[in-house]
Each structure stands twice: as structure tokens, then as C-alpha cells.
Amino acid sequence: MSTAMIQHVIAFALYLGLMIYIGIRWMNSNNSSEGFFLGGRNMGPWTTALSAEASDMSGWLLMGLPGVAYLGGLKEAFWTALGLEIGTYLNWLIVARPLRRYSMMCKNSITIPEFLTNRFHDKKRIISLVSTIFIVLFFVIYTASGFVACAKLLNTVFGLPYICGLVIGMVVILLYTLLGGFAAVCTTDFIQGTLMFIALILTVCIMMVSVGGPSVAMEKVSEFGQKAMSGEFGEMMKAKFTNNQNFSVISIISSLAWGLGYFGMPHILVRFMGIKSEKDIALSRRIAMAWVTIAFIGAMGIGSFASVYLNDLLPAARNESVVIATIIQTYPAFIGGIFLCAILAAAMSTSDSQLLVAASAFTEDFCQTLLKKKFGARTTVSLSRVTVLAIALVAFVLSLNENSSIFGLVSYAWAGFGATFGPLIILALFWRNATARGAIAGIIAGGATVIIWHNFSGGIFDVYELLPGFLICLAMAVVVSLLDKNKDPEMLKEFDEFKKQGRN
């Protein structure tokens, strides 16, 4: 083993050991469902902001998005990032504060299915059933993307077999999630978000200085593209510099549509529900927007400049390893190892959150609510840990294909959540006349549309499935609610009281 490899191993061991220690540190605070799933609603503004954004971005930020910029140029990456930027801001601005308040009014709801069930007074608990089905389905896919990112990173850096990297990543994520619950997940996300931020900004700055500054870097990228239309990398370069000139209106709309997904992301929405005080939300929003904006610039910059910065071009099949290759070339071995942990952090920060939310949906909204089984606090937490393990194992099976695309897995799961829950969260918070039947119709229609749309291509089906799924969910929920006519005086009174508190 080389000296550089030993230094990488030490850096990774220190980082992974810290994550496990945090899980152990928070283990004693998880004696109740609210403690395990929401950290007792006691998260500060910095932890909430960085945890929300770190769990949002996943390995997609440090592998998927730079890979798109490297292989396909800046246009697709830019419009996708712009859509996500707008969605992030609107989610913090219009959803965060009312969701925290209303979730507490609705019998102190600690999960999104529980909130929707209580908000719409769904006595038959059908909302819980359909919500849990879609949450578990799409979170298994989303979690698999994080496992794939861990495996690809460990394979590239240490030459470990893909399956070994997969197992190591899954085991560490499981350890601190099972031990520490929401508080541990948020604390590790804070550390991971900070590490991701520093790695992206410092690396892109070094790259720009090395090639002569931003304007010179862009000129060199353009010149390189014009010279690289033949040879081994010709096809990749054609895609990078020629095909993107025809970036269509449909492509722009699809990329911007990513922003709609934020309104339905359970692992992000629960951060709003878990913040210590509504007064902290404005500060959290500013922190989150600064982090997202600068992180996107860093990720796209690394992907775009890599073609003229790296000593050796990457084959198209390894485009999602562009940040790994850049860090290895840029830094001394130990420092590089620390920054490579940022990529591991990106994958872990989302997988842990998704496992926790999926487990909460199953234990709180299926086992206890739907089956009408009431467990003690310790039994609930124990069952939740078993559920986390079971979901992780299913995601592990889906991750076994080492040719899986991180970007592809994330985009499918993102569309599923955005279309299934996004319109319902907005209607629940802002429309007095929404009903349980409307909510059920919307959830089923939105989720089904994404699944069906995803399996077709060409023509109108080239539109990202999130957009039609979101619109169909919204339309179905509104139409069915209008036909149903909300005549529940208790529900209407509760909504009016919620709005009254918001004006105070």
C-alpha cells in the first residue's frame, strides 16, 4: 500500500469514526418517537439549515451534477440548479413556518403522513396507507442512489470491489442512524454540509487560479471542445460542446421543474417541523440559500473546468467521478482524503435522512395508526430501528448494479415525492376547502403518473415526469375536493384558528 493510500485510509477512518461517535453520543436522547424522529423539536437554526440542504443534495451534488456539467456542458446543469435554487427559496419562504405551526396544532404530528391525516381529519386512515406506500417505494430508490455514490467513491479511491464499498457505506450509515436518530442525523448533516461546502469552494477556486481565472478557464474549455471532436473522446466532446447548442425548450422546462420537488420532500419538510422556534426560520433560510447558491457554483465549476484542468480525461462512463479525480490531482494525500470524505458525506447525509423518514412512515403511520396498534415509547423506537435496517437492505439490493446512474436514481425518486406530496402540502397549508378524499385522489394520481411517465420516452414524454405528476396531483385534489365539499365544521374551525395564529 502506497503512502498516499495510507493517508487516504487514515482520513476516511477518522471521518467515519466521528460519524459513529455522534450516533453513540445522541443515543440516550431517543426514548420517545418525537425524540427519535424529530429530535424533540429542538434543532437550532444553523443545524436545521445545513441539515436540510445537506440531506437535500446527496451524492447528486458532488457526483451527479458535476458529471452532467462535465459530460453535457453547463446548460443542463445551470437550468437544473436554477430550478432547485428557486424551489429551495420558496420552500423556506412559504412552507417552513406554517408547516411547523400547523403540524403542532394537528395533534403534534411528527411525520408527513400523520400531518396530512390529522389535517384532513381522515378517520379511515387511508391517507396514511397510500402515503406510506409511496414513501417507502421512492425512498428505497433514493437511498439506493446514496449507497451507489458511496460504493463508486470507495472503488475509485481505494480500488475496493464495488460490493465492498457498498457494504461499508451502508454499515456506517446504519450505525449512526440506528443509534442516534434524528438528532444524530441532523448533527452529522451539519458537519457533512460544512465539509461539502469547503471542499467545493476551495477546489473550484484552485482550479480557476491554475488555468488563469474564470474568463480564461471558459475560453480554454471552449477551445478544447473545438479541438476534441475526434479520437477516443470525440463522442463525449460532441455531446459536451455541440449537442447542448440545441438545448430545447422542453429541456429547460424539465430542468426548472426540479424546483417543484421541494414542496413534497418528506426528509426536508421534517426539518421545518423539528426546528426549535419559528423565529429561527428566517435565519435558517438565509443560511440555506447562501449554502445552496455557493455550492451549486462550485459543483458546476468543477464539472465544467475539469476538461482543461485534469491531466487525463475521464471516459464518458466515469463522468460522475470527475470531482474525485479533481480532488486527487489537486491536494496532498491526507488533505485530499478529508475532502474526498465530503463526497461520502453527501451520500450519507441524504441516505440517513431518508431511512429515518421511511421508518417513521412505517412505524407511526402504518403499524400504529393504520393497524391501531399502540406501542410503548421504547417498543416504537426499537421497531423503527428494525424498519430502518429492512429498508436499507432492500435499497442495498437495488444498488448492486454498479452501472447505476446516481443522477438517474435521484431524478426518479425526486419526481415521485414532488408529485405525490408537493401539491398536498401546499393545499393543506393554504386552501381551506381541501378534503381528505381530494388528498387521497391527488396522492394516488400524482404517484401513479410519475411511475407511468417514467417508463415512456419520446415526444411529450421527454418532459421530466415531475411536472405532469405535480399538475395532475394538484388538479385531482382540487376537483375532488370541490365535488366533495368540505362540511367538516371541526376541520374548518381548526384551519381558521391556524390562519388566525399566523396573523398574530
Side-chain angles (χ1 to χ4, degrees), residues 77-100:
F78 169 78
W79 287 109
T80 300
L82 179 62
L84 291 171
E85 182 97 1
I86 295 170
T88 299
Y89 179 75
L90 293 178
N91 206 26
W92 277 99
L93 182 67
I94 68 176
V95 172
R97 190 185 302 273
L99 179 60
R100 186 190 186 278

Side-chain angles (χ1 to χ4, degrees), residues 209-247:
V209 170
S210 297
V211 297
S215 59
V216 175
M218 293 304 296
E219 289 178 8
K220 288 185 177 180
V221 169
S222 179
E223 290 173 3
F224 179 81
Q226 295 172 7
K227 296 176 182 178
M229 292 301 164
S230 61
E232 183 179 357
F233 299 100
E235 292 302 315
M236 183 181 77
M237 291 301 117
K238 287 177 183 177
K240 182 176 178 69
F241 297 100
T242 304
N243 294 347
N244 254 283
Q245 294 175 4
N246 300 317
F247 197 68

Side-chain angles (χ1 to χ4, degrees), residues 79-401:
W79 287 109
T80 300
L82 179 62
L84 291 171
E85 182 97 1
I86 295 170
T88 299
Y89 179 75
L90 293 178
N91 206 26
W92 277 99
L93 182 67
I94 68 176
V95 172
R97 190 185 302 273
L99 179 60
R100 186 190 186 278
R101 184 187 313 125
Y102 211 173
S103 65
M104 294 185 70
M105 288 182 61
C106 292
K107 301 179 182 179
N108 195 30
S109 303
I110 63 175
T111 70
I112 294 303
E114 184 182 15
F115 166 67
L116 293 175
T117 296
N118 293 335
R119 158 64 178 91
F120 294 117
H121 290 223
D122 179 19
K123 296 179 175 59
K124 295 182 179 179
R125 308 291 180 182
I126 299 175
I127 291 177
S128 288
L129 174 61
V130 295
S131 296
T132 300
I133 291 172
F134 283 115
I135 281 178
V136 172
L137 170 64
F138 289 120
F139 266 144
V140 165
I141 298 171
Y142 215 147
T143 303
S145 72
F147 289 173
V148 169
C150 290
K152 286 187 175 183
L153 172 64
L154 296 174
N155 172 260
T156 302
V157 176
F158 300 112
L160 289 175
Y162 178 84
I163 188 68
C164 290
L166 204 58
V167 171
I168 292 172
M170 182 184 73
V171 168
V172 174
I173 292 169
L174 279 174
L175 278 175
Y176 71 77
T177 303
L178 291 172
L179 291 172
F182 186 82
V185 165
C186 286
T187 303
T188 55
D189 285 353
F190 175 84
I191 295 171
Q192 291 162 342
T194 302
L195 185 58
M196 291 158 62
F197 182 86
I198 294 172
L200 282 170
I201 299 311
L202 187 58
T203 303
V204 78
C205 288
I206 291 173
M207 292 175 74
M208 285 192 296
V209 170
S210 297
V211 297
S215 59
V216 175
M218 293 304 296
E219 289 178 8
K220 288 185 177 180
V221 169
S222 179
E223 290 173 3
F224 179 81
Q226 295 172 7
K227 296 176 182 178
M229 292 301 164
S230 61
E232 183 179 357
F233 299 100
E235 292 302 315
M236 183 181 77
M237 291 301 117
K238 287 177 183 177
K240 182 176 178 69
F241 297 100
T242 304
N243 294 347
N244 254 283
Q245 294 175 4
N246 300 317
F247 197 68
S248 66
V249 174
I250 288 181
S251 299
I252 294 174
I253 293 173
S254 294
S255 297
L256 288 173
W258 276 74
L260 292 174
Y262 279 101
F263 302 116
M265 294 297 137
H267 58 296
I268 298 174
L269 297 174
V270 293
R271 263 62 182 179
F272 302 155
M273 295 162 64
I275 196 169
K276 187 174 183 179
S277 170
E278 286 185 33
K279 297 177 182 178
D280 293 333
I281 289 176
L283 175 59
S284 291
R285 181 177 68 246
R286 289 191 287 270
I287 296 168
M289 291 310 301
W291 189 97
V292 166
T293 302
I294 299 173
F296 277 154
I297 292 172
M300 290 188 295
I302 291 173
S304 179
F305 299 150
S307 57
V308 294
Y309 177 81
L310 292 177
N311 294 332
D312 298 303
L313 285 174
L314 298 174
R318 293 186 58 217
N319 68 298
E320 292 186 329
S321 298
V322 62
V323 174
I324 300 173
T326 301
I327 288 174
I328 291 174
Q329 178 173 308
T330 303
Y331 300 102
F334 182 75
I335 301 300
I338 295 295
F339 284 154
L340 287 170
C341 289
I343 302 174
L344 199 62
M348 288 181 168
S349 62
T350 300
S351 295
D352 54 19
S353 302
Q354 292 156 352
L355 287 170
L356 203 59
V357 172
S360 69
F362 183 80
T363 55
E364 293 289 325
D365 303 310
F366 184 82
C367 292
Q368 295 202 75
T369 303
L370 189 66
L371 300 180
K372 299 180 180 179
K373 296 281 187 181
K374 292 298 178 183
F375 306 117
R378 291 185 179 276
T379 303
T380 300
V381 173
S382 297
L383 180 59
S384 300
R385 286 174 170 145
V386 172
T387 306
V388 166
L389 179 60
I391 293 171
L393 290 175
V394 177
F396 176 82
V397 173
L398 291 181
S399 309
L400 291 174
N401 179 10

